[in-house]
Amino acid sequence: MLVPIEWLKDYIDIDVDIPEYCEKMIMSGSNVEAAHCFDEEIENIVVGKIVKIEKHPDADKLLVCTVNVGDVEPVQIVTGATNVFEGAVIPVAAHGSRLPGPMHGQPKQEGGVKIKKGKLRGVESAGMLCSASELGFADKVIQAAHRDGIWILNENHTLGQDIVEALGLAHSVVDFEITPNRPDCLSILGMARETGAVFKKKFRYPETECVHEVENVDQYVSVDIKNTELCKRYVARVVKDVKVEESPWWLQKRLMKAGMRPINNIVDITNFVMLEYGQPIHAFDIRHVAGRKIVVDTASAGDLFTTLDGTERKLESDMLLIKDAEKGIALAGVMGGLNSEIAEDTTTIVIESANFDKDNIRATSKKIGLRTEASARFEKGLDSGLCLTAADRVCKLIELLGAGTVVKGAVDVYPSPTSAHTVDVRVARINSILGVDLSASEMAELFGRLEMQVSAAGDVLKVTPPTVRQDLNREIDFVEEVARLYGYDQLPVTIPKGSSRAGKTRERMLKDLAKDVMCGLGANEIQTYSFVSPKGVANIRLDGDARESRFVEIVNPLGEENSVMRTVLTPNMLDVLGRNFSRNIPKVRAFEIGNTFGRNVAEEAELPEEQDAMAIAAYGQGESFFTVKGMVVELLANLGIHEPGFVAESSYGAYHPGRCARIMLGETELGIMGEVHPDVAEQYGIGTKAYCCELTFDTVMKHANLEKAYKPLPKYPSVSRDIALLVDEDIAVEAIRTIITGEGGSILESVKLFDVYRGKQVADGKKSVAFALAYRASDRTLTDEDVAKVHDKILKALSNQLNAVLREM
C-alpha cells in the first residue's frame, strides 16, 4: 500500500521526519517496505515555456526549441519529442541540473543523472526537456497522453520556478506491507487511523455532505439484489450534467504517487475514493443501463462478457454479475463492462458502491485470470458500512470539482445490516500474556486511540471495535492491539516458564537413527515430491485394483505430472536411479523416508490415510539382492527388530518374480524387496540390474525396540555342529531355518547359513544347503548326549517335513 505523506496529512497532523515515522509505525506492527522521496534526486529542474520551434537543419526528426525559463535569457534546447508545440509549458533541465529517471532506456543510475549542455548534430543544446518518467514517475502511473514524449503541464505555473515547488513533489511516499487480516489498512484513512493511534493524535474524516442537490434519485435508477448471500449491500447514487475532463493536478498527483494512473475526472474520483476509504467504487453511463434498473445476480453458465480492458470473458454460473434490464454491465467486484464505460460525451452517471462476498470475488478473479485493485480489496473482506459514506464522498468531490450536479438521495439496498459487536476483555488476562501490569484505564486509553468504544465492568472491559476492524472478534485478538500500542520494545524480556522439556519424539528419534544407519551403510539420502503422476503406479506394473492406485487427487494441480499424491515411494526412487544411470553414475545406493497418502475408500469424505514409508535401492558393481537384504537386516537390527523373515513372492509386478520377497516379522508384513523387473527397469531407463525395497515404516516403528538390556558373557562353552542337507531346489532356505530354530529348543544358540551348492555331486533338481549350528546352555556345560538328542530331533524333523537328506561334508 503506497501512502503519500502529503495525502496522509489531509487527515492527520504529523510533524516528525520520515525515518522516525517509519520506525514508530514498524514498532506498532505496520511493516514498512520502503520510503521514497520524489525530490531527493531532482536539482535545478525548472518550469519553462516553449516560445519558438524550428526544424533542425541536419536532422529531420529533431526540433530546435527556444525556451523561456523565467528572468534569465531564453535557452536553446534540441529535442526529438513529437508532442511539443509553441506555448507549451514543460519541465526544463538546464546545464548542471540533475534528474532521477533513466536516460534513453538505460537503467536508473544511483545518485541520478547529471545534465550537461552539448551539441546534437552540430546544433547547441543547453539541456533537455523532461518527460514524467525522467522526473521519477513509473510508466504505469503516467497519463496515456503524456507517456510518450515531453510532459506538458496543463496548469499555470510561474516560469523559472523550481519544478519540485511548482508540482509539489517534495513529500515522501511510504510503502506499507499490509497483511491479509487488515483490509482496513488498504486505504489512506486506515493508515491515518493507525498513525493517529501511534502518535496519539486525532485524525479528521473527509467531507461527504453535498451543499447543492437536485431532484430525487428514485426518478433515475432502481436496484434489485437477487442474490443477497453474495451481495450484502448495494448503494447507487446519480450525478447529472457531468463534464468529463482532465482532473486537477492535486488529484492526479495523489493518484500517481499512490500507484494509479489518472484517466479523467470521473474515473479519477472513483479511484481516489477507493484509495481513500478502501471501498471500491464504479461509475456507469446511465445511457447504457437499460430500463434504468440495476440487478445483482449470478451469471448464466457460458455467458460472454467484455470487460473494460477489451477482453471477452466466458462466465460461470457462480460468478456475480451486475446487470441492467437486458444484459450484464459489470463483473461484480472485479471490473466494469466495456458496454457501460464513461465516455467523453457522458452526461449522467450512476455511482455504484457495494459490498460483495469475499470468497466469491476471490474465486471469480482467479477463474478469469484478472486481479484488480478492486478485487484485491473485496477478496480480503470489507465493511459493508463503508458503502454509503464512500458514495457520498464521490458525490462531494464531483461537486467540489464542478464536474456535475448531484441528484438528491441514494438507493441503498441493505437486506441484513451488520452492527458492531462487543467483546469482553479481561485486564488480568492481557497482563498475564504480555507480562505487564497495565490498569483497566490504561488499556481503555489504548483501545480508544483506535476508535473503539470501551466500558468497564470491574476487571473486564467491554470493547466495541469499529466495524472496519473485522479482525477483532475474540479476546485474544485484543492482546496484540495492547502490545503494539504499548510498544513491543517496552515489553519485559523473560525466560519461558514451564516444566516441559524440549526433545525429539520417539518417531523422530527412530527416523534419525534409521538415517544414520543407512548413511553408515554407504547410502545417500534423497527427497522427492509428494505430488506425482498417476502413471507411476502403472510404470511399476501394478494394476488399477492395487492399493497403490487409491490416489488422493489434487484439486488444482500444476499439471498431470503433479496431479495426485503418492501412495508408494518406489516410482520416485526408480526415477532417481534412472536419472543417475543416464548421467553415467556407475554405482548408487540411496534411501528415502517420506509420507505416502491413500484415499479412504470406506469414507470418501474423511481425510486421506497418511503413513510413513522407507525406500532403499541400489545398482552397480557388487550390488545384488543379498546386499540390499543385508542392508535391511542391519537396519532392522539397529531398530531392535531381530531375525526378520523373508517369504518368496512372485506376483508383485515391480520385481522379478523369482527374486522377490516379502519382509515379515511373525505374521506382520514390514515391506517388500526384490530385483527390479526388467520391463520396469527399461521403463525408467536403468540399463543394469537394480534392487529396491520399500518398508512400511510406520509398522517398523511400531515394533522397534531401543531398550538395551545387559546380558552377561556366557560361563559355559558352546558346541558346534555343521550340517549339509540335500533338499529339493524349490525349498526356500528360510523354511529350513524355521524348522531348525523351532526344534532346537532353548539350547540352540544360533543358526547360520554358510553354503548353498549345486554341482556334479548333487542330483538335478536338488541343492545342498549347509548350516552352522551352535548349542549352549546357560546353566551347565553341555554333554555330547545333550547335543545329540536335540540335533537328532532337528534332523528327523527336516527329513519328515522336507524330505531333507543329510549329506556327507
Side-chain angles (χ1 to χ4, degrees):
M1 174 70 189
L2 296 173
V3 178
I5 297 301
E6 179 185 20
W7 193 353
L8 190 71
K9 286 184 176 180
D10 288 346
Y11 316 115
I12 188 167
D13 298 321
I14 52 174
D15 52 5
V16 297
D17 58 21
I18 294 302
E20 182 180 351
Y21 174 76
C22 291
E23 181 181 358
K24 289 192 175 182
M25 293 302 289
I26 290 171
M27 292 308 298
S28 73
S30 298
N31 189 39
V32 174
E33 291 278 345
H36 173 63
C37 186
F38 273 78
D39 68 328
E40 61 185 4
E41 293 179 352
I42 296 178
E43 288 183 6
N44 300 326
I45 312 299
V46 298
V47 177
K49 183 177 183 179
I50 299 175
V51 295
K52 184 179 180 181
I53 297 178
E54 298 176 327
K55 288 187 176 182
H56 193 289
D58 294 323
D60 293 338
K61 295 184 178 181
L62 295 180
L63 299 174
V64 181
C65 301
T66 302
V67 183
N68 182 351
V69 290
D71 297 335
V72 298
E73 288 291 323
V75 295
Q76 177 176 284
I77 296 176
V78 179
T79 181
T82 59
N83 67 324
V84 294
F85 54 90
E86 291 183 358
V89 179
I90 36 78
V92 180
H95 174 72
S97 58
R98 188 163 62 105
L99 287 171
M103 298 292 291
H104 307 297
Q106 299 298 316
K108 185 173 180 178
Q109 302 177 26
E110 188 173 346
V113 179
K114 284 285 186 180
I115 303 301
K116 298 179 181 180
K117 62 182 177 181
K119 290 185 177 182
L120 289 177
R121 300 291 293 271
V123 176
E124 288 191 0
S125 180
M128 64 177 287
L129 310 182
C130 302
S131 67
S133 63
E134 288 163 341
L135 289 178
F137 288 99
D139 284 344
K140 70 175 184 178
V141 305
I142 301 172
Q143 264 190 310
H146 303 314
R147 188 173 297 168
D148 299 319
I150 303 306
W151 192 1
I152 308 298
L153 306 179
N154 294 332
E155 297 187 0
N156 293 325
H157 298 285
T158 303
L159 299 184
Q161 184 181 16
D162 188 281
I163 199 70
V164 172
E165 179 183 349
L167 299 180
L169 302 179
H171 292 284
S172 299
V173 174
V174 179
D175 187 2
F176 287 97
E177 178 191 13
I178 308 300
T179 54
N181 67 318
R182 293 298 305 273
D184 59 298
C185 288
L186 283 172
S187 64
I188 304 298
L189 283 177
M191 292 313 302
R193 184 182 295 106
E194 288 295 302
T195 300
V198 172
F199 290 90
K200 302 180 182 180
K201 293 191 175 184
K202 293 285 186 182
F203 78 99
R204 303 174 289 275
Y205 281 97
E207 294 182 10
T208 58
E209 185 176 351
C210 294
V211 176
H212 179 67
E213 296 178 335
V214 298
E215 302 177 354
N216 192 286
V217 70
D218 293 333
Q219 301 170 7
Y220 286 85
V221 69
S222 64
V223 175
D224 181 15
I225 301 178
K226 297 288 188 183
N227 193 321
T228 55
E229 291 184 2
L230 300 184
C231 180
K232 300 176 184 177
R233 187 179 190 183
Y234 195 102
V235 173
R237 294 209 62 175
V238 175
V239 179
K240 69 175 192 175
D241 302 329
V242 170
K243 292 176 286 186
V244 180
E245 55 192 10
E246 189 172 286
S247 300
W249 170 242
W250 69 265
L251 178 55
Q252 292 188 44
K253 178 176 61 175
R254 278 162 171 72
L255 291 177
M256 293 170 73
K257 286 189 174 183
M260 297 197 75
R261 175 169 60 92
I263 298 174
N264 59 53
N265 55 351
I266 301 302
V267 175
D268 291 351
I269 287 171
T270 61
N271 286 335
F272 181 91
V273 173
M274 178 183 69
L275 294 174
E276 187 177 44
Y277 278 87
Q279 170 65 42
I281 304 287
H282 188 67
F284 303 104
D285 188 330
I286 202 168
R287 294 177 301 177
H288 306 303
V289 180
R292 296 197 172 186
K293 181 177 183 180
I294 290 177
V295 179
V296 185
D297 198 4
T298 50
S300 297
D303 280 354
L304 297 178
F305 182 72
T306 304
T307 47
L308 278 171
D309 58 1
T311 303
E312 186 177 68
R313 305 179 187 278
K314 188 174 182 179
L315 306 184
E316 297 181 12
S317 59
D318 59 348
M319 295 180 179
L320 195 62
L321 197 62
I322 308 301
K323 307 176 183 179
D324 58 20
E326 301 173 355
K327 62 186 181 302
I329 56 175
L331 192 54
V334 181
M335 185 176 279
L338 192 63
N339 57 9
S340 60
E341 70 173 333
I342 303 299
E344 290 185 1
D345 61 345
T346 297
T347 58
T348 304
I349 62 172
V350 178
I351 298 166
E352 169 195 277
S353 180
N355 187 272
F356 303 116
D357 178 72
K358 63 180 181 178
D359 295 329
N360 181 264
I361 300 302
R362 184 186 300 112
T364 298
S365 177
K366 185 175 182 179
K367 286 177 182 177
I368 67 173
L370 178 63
R371 196 165 190 265
T372 61
E373 288 282 351
S375 67
R377 286 166 169 79
F378 276 124
E379 69 185 27
K380 292 177 176 62
L382 295 179
D383 173 25
S384 56
L386 290 173
C387 294
L388 182 59
T389 305
D392 291 345
R393 176 61 171 165
V394 171
C395 293
K396 177 64 178 178
L397 288 173
I398 290 176
E399 182 183 77
L400 183 67
L401 298 184
T405 303
V406 179
V407 174
K408 186 177 182 180
V411 179
D412 186 0
V413 182
Y414 198 5
S416 302
T418 58
S419 57
H421 61 278
T422 301
V423 180
D424 288 346
V425 177
R426 293 168 292 175
V427 174
R429 175 63 174 160
I430 292 181
N431 283 331
S432 173
I433 293 174
L434 299 180
V436 296
D437 187 19
L438 297 176
S439 65
S441 60
E442 288 174 315
M443 288 189 190
E445 188 272 332
L446 295 178
F447 293 139
R449 290 194 220 165
L450 291 166
E451 297 191 312
M452 300 184 194
Q453 302 297 319
V454 185
S455 61
D459 191 45
V460 176
L461 297 177
K462 294 187 175 296
V463 185
T464 306
T467 53
V468 293
R469 290 300 304 274
Q470 298 186 47
D471 58 312
L472 301 178
N473 300 303
R474 302 173 300 164
E475 181 185 47
I476 194 65
D477 297 330
F478 293 85
V479 176
E480 181 183 4
E481 301 304 297
V482 172
R484 66 192 188 88
L485 292 184
Y486 178 73
Y488 290 121
D489 54 337
Q490 296 190 54
L491 296 178
V493 179
T494 59
I495 297 174
K497 299 177 181 178
S499 59
S500 61
R501 283 185 169 181
K504 295 180 181 179
T505 63
R506 178 177 181 272
E507 289 75 14
R508 183 73 264 170
M509 291 175 62
L510 290 171
K511 288 180 183 179
D512 288 347
L513 176 58
K515 292 177 181 181
D516 289 342
V517 172
M518 293 308 300
C519 289
L521 293 171
N524 293 301
E525 183 179 4
I526 66 168
Q527 190 171 30
T528 60
Y529 289 113
S530 296
F531 295 171
V532 297
S533 168
K535 295 179 181 178
V537 170
N539 288 342
I540 60 172
R541 301 176 73 246
L542 300 182
D543 59 41
D545 296 328
R547 174 194 62 82
E548 291 84 352
S549 295
R550 299 205 307 261
F551 295 114
V552 178
E553 297 181 355
I554 309 303
V555 175
N556 54 342
L558 296 176
E560 195 276 341
E561 292 300 312
N562 307 95
S563 61
V564 299
M565 302 186 77
R566 64 187 179 190
T567 56
V568 60
L569 299 183
T570 301
N572 291 17
M573 177 61 77
L574 294 178
D575 263 333
V576 173
L577 294 189
R579 193 175 307 117
N580 279 271
F581 186 83
S582 68
R583 295 176 182 175
N584 299 318
I585 306 300
K587 184 175 181 178
V588 170
R589 281 188 180 183
F591 74 95
E592 177 181 13
I593 300 176
N595 291 351
T596 59
F597 309 84
R599 179 165 46 87
N600 194 319
V601 178
E603 296 290 341
E604 292 287 346
E606 294 295 320
L607 291 174
E609 298 171 348
E610 182 178 349
Q611 62 181 4
D612 286 310
M614 181 177 186
I616 304 169
Y619 75 74
Q621 185 178 4
E623 304 295 354
S624 69
F625 176 91
F626 296 104
T627 56
V628 174
K629 177 185 176 184
M631 294 168 71
V632 172
V633 171
E634 182 67 20
L635 169 67
L636 296 178
N638 277 272
L639 296 176
I641 301 174
H642 300 283
E643 298 186 2
F646 292 84
V647 179
E649 172 63 61
S650 60
S651 60
Y652 193 75
Y655 300 127
H656 192 295
R659 299 164 193 166
C660 175
R662 294 196 179 272
I663 306 165
M664 308 296 293
L665 184 64
E667 298 298 320
T668 302
E669 182 177 329
L670 301 181
I672 190 169
M673 64 168 294
E675 179 183 318
V676 178
H677 194 284
D679 291 345
V680 176
E682 182 180 358
Q683 180 72 36
Y684 286 94
I686 306 171
T688 186
K689 289 185 177 182
Y691 308 91
C692 193
C693 166
E694 181 151 345
L695 298 171
T696 305
F697 205 70
D698 275 344
T699 307
V700 171
M701 290 191 292
K702 180 179 178 181
H703 291 85
N705 182 9
L706 300 184
E707 293 290 335
K708 302 295 182 182
Y710 167 74
K711 184 178 180 181
L713 294 173
K715 296 180 180 180
Y716 303 100
S718 64
V719 177
S720 298
R721 294 285 189 272
D722 293 344
I723 57 174
L725 302 169
L726 285 174
V727 295
D728 293 338
E729 178 66 46
D730 60 352
I731 292 178
V733 171
E734 188 64 27
I736 303 173
R737 184 199 299 272
T738 301
I739 293 173
I740 294 174
T741 55
E743 300 294 333
S746 61
I747 67 169
L748 180 62
E749 187 176 57
S750 66
V751 180
K752 293 182 180 179
L753 173 72
F754 67 86
D755 184 51
V756 177
Y757 175 74
R758 301 173 183 87
K760 295 179 180 179
Q761 293 86 358
V762 177
D764 292 340
K766 297 286 186 176
K767 61 182 175 183
S768 173
V769 183
F771 292 91
L773 282 60
Y775 299 95
R776 190 197 307 267
S778 60
D779 56 351
R780 68 188 190 281
T781 300
L782 293 175
T783 64
D784 288 340
E785 184 179 351
D786 294 331
V787 174
K789 184 178 179 180
V790 175
H791 196 71
D792 290 343
K793 181 182 177 184
I794 291 172
L795 294 176
K796 185 176 180 180
L798 290 170
S799 176
N800 291 337
Q801 297 181 38
L802 302 178
N803 293 322
V805 178
L806 190 63
R807 175 172 171 255
E808 295 295 333
M809 297 290 289

